[in-house]
Amino acid sequence: RGVYRIDGVPQMRKRPMRPLIEALRALGVPVRCLGEEGFFPLEVHGGGLGSGAVDLDPSESSQLLSALLMIAPQAAGEIAIRLTGSVRWTFVDMTLRLMAEFGVHTGVTPGTEQFVLKPAAYAPPAVYLVEPDATAASYFQALPRVVGGSLHLPGLRPPGSGLQGDSAFAEVMA
């Protein structure tokens, strides 16, 4: 419930949001663009996410699909999503695995062009360790190869055990 204004730094105002905005509107969420249509800043009137079918083109950013996936379980009913463009499934898979860690199993298989999400309740674990950014860490992991020495990055999960594909970069460096 409530009215929320969402904005960001100038770089965020350049991010394409139109596909997500259109999907939210199709699901009954009043979204108003306060500047250029399809970009931040936005005004979102909360009150619940409806149900139904939406088309989404995630080709500009996989984050558009990830955002819709994360909120879909909180909808009033089932949400059917049909992808109308290509998507980088590696990042979407990370979203699906994170959702599963919080108790929401979508049944969505990466590579699927059409799927249905049912309402579900998130069940956060008592303790959850947020992973460090494996992509950002990769720059530092390359330093010993360039200048010598060694590096220890506490908290970075070993390859294959974390959510982020870029955690495998450490193996590449080895």
Side-chain angles (χ1 to χ4, degrees), residues 40-114:
F40 288 123
L42 306 173
E43 184 177 88
V44 180
H45 292 253
L49 185 62
S51 59
V54 295
D55 289 342
L56 182 75
D57 180 357
S59 58
E60 291 182 274
S61 173
S62 62
Q63 292 173 349
L64 302 172
L65 177 56
S66 287
L68 193 54
L69 286 169
M70 287 188 288
I71 64 169
Q74 303 299 295
E78 292 183 348
I79 293 181
I81 302 173
R82 184 174 70 91
L83 301 180
T84 60
S86 62
V87 64
R88 290 184 62 190
W89 278 102
T90 53
F91 290 107
V92 176
D93 184 51
M94 185 169 59
T95 299
L96 295 170
R97 289 188 294 148
L98 180 65
M99 291 171 66
E101 287 187 20
F102 280 76
V104 175
H105 302 276
T106 64
V108 174
T109 305
T112 308
E113 293 179 10
Q114 199 165 318

Side-chain angles (χ1 to χ4, degrees), residues 141-162:
Q141 289 172 327
L143 279 175
R145 299 286 294 183
V146 176
V147 299
S150 63
L151 179 69
H152 176 66
L153 297 171
L156 194 62
R157 292 186 184 178
S161 68

Side-chain angles (χ1 to χ4, degrees), residues 10-25:
Q11 185 64 24
M12 285 299 296
R13 286 184 170 198
K14 295 177 184 176
R15 304 258 347 215
M17 300 298 295
R18 183 182 311 270
L20 180 59
I21 292 167
E22 290 172 354
L24 291 172
R25 287 174 177 162

